[in-house]
Amino acid sequence: MISIKNDKDIEKMAKAGSIVSEALKLMESMIKVGISTMQLNDEAEKFILSKGAIPSFKNYNGYKFASCMSVDDVVVHGFPSNRLLEEGEILSIDIGAKILGFHADAARTFAVGKISRQKQRLIDVTKQSFFEGLKECKEGARLGDMAFAIQHYVESHGFSVVRSMCGHGIGKKLHEDPQVLNYGQKNTGIKLKNGYALAIEPMVNLGEHEVYTDIDGWACRTKDGLPSAHYENTVIVTKDAPIILTI
Ligand code: MF3
Ligand code: CO
């Protein structure tokens, strides 16, 4: 069942969205060589709580932290840690917040100090792939149209789309129907309706698309060890351009 959000729901989700977006900006401003992802996580968690919101990920399926911190070959679901970030690494931060009964969820990939041109291109293509998908995200379009647009953009730049994880509906629960794949065929999948809330989140690998789960049971890593990037926003489907709640 896919829930339709009314104007009141959307207002609440927008509150959650602005808290998530501010938390990401706060962490971005702190990123530098020699800081730990735990420090970033702790500041963001304090910020979310100070707004009267709750970190969506903490205690979700046994996850212990407010954020996911995924460095280089970690695609998603890395734990924050006390290890200090090093020059040239890329860090994907994923965070969610719940307020007034509704969640918002977003992710960005950031550079630590000076990074290679290849890593910068990976970050840029991942972000742009979200916006290419968004062009196909409106009432009456099908999920496959968006999935195809993301995959086509990513692959035409020589990178690959992670298949084993996807975006999702979002609202009163962090993960709702439908699944939002980042690869697929035009003219397939369900038709989007006004009031659907979706977390669209392409995960893009510099090398091959295959991934595996680390022995910690959470961190998802690229099989070839090459870096991966992530870009996610929570959006509301309308008859025209979607409303982005987390920028
Ligand atoms: N944004 C992530 C997702 O949609 C949420 C992380 S799962 C958690 O899959 F368990 F870490 F919360
Ligand atoms: Co998500």
Side-chain angles (χ1 to χ4, degrees), residues 56-68 76-78 94-96 105-107 165-168 174-175 199 201 203 218 230 232:
S56 302
F57 300 177
K58 206 167 176 171
N59 303 319
Y60 183 84
N61 291 342
Y63 192 73
K64 288 197 168 57
F65 306 97
S67 66
C68 299
V76 288
H77 300 167
D94 192 347
I95 193 154
D105 179 10
M165 283 171 304
C166 60
H168 48 94
L174 175 61
H175 289 153
E201 49 178 320
M203 290 151 269
W218 279 96
H230 189 197
E232 173 181 29

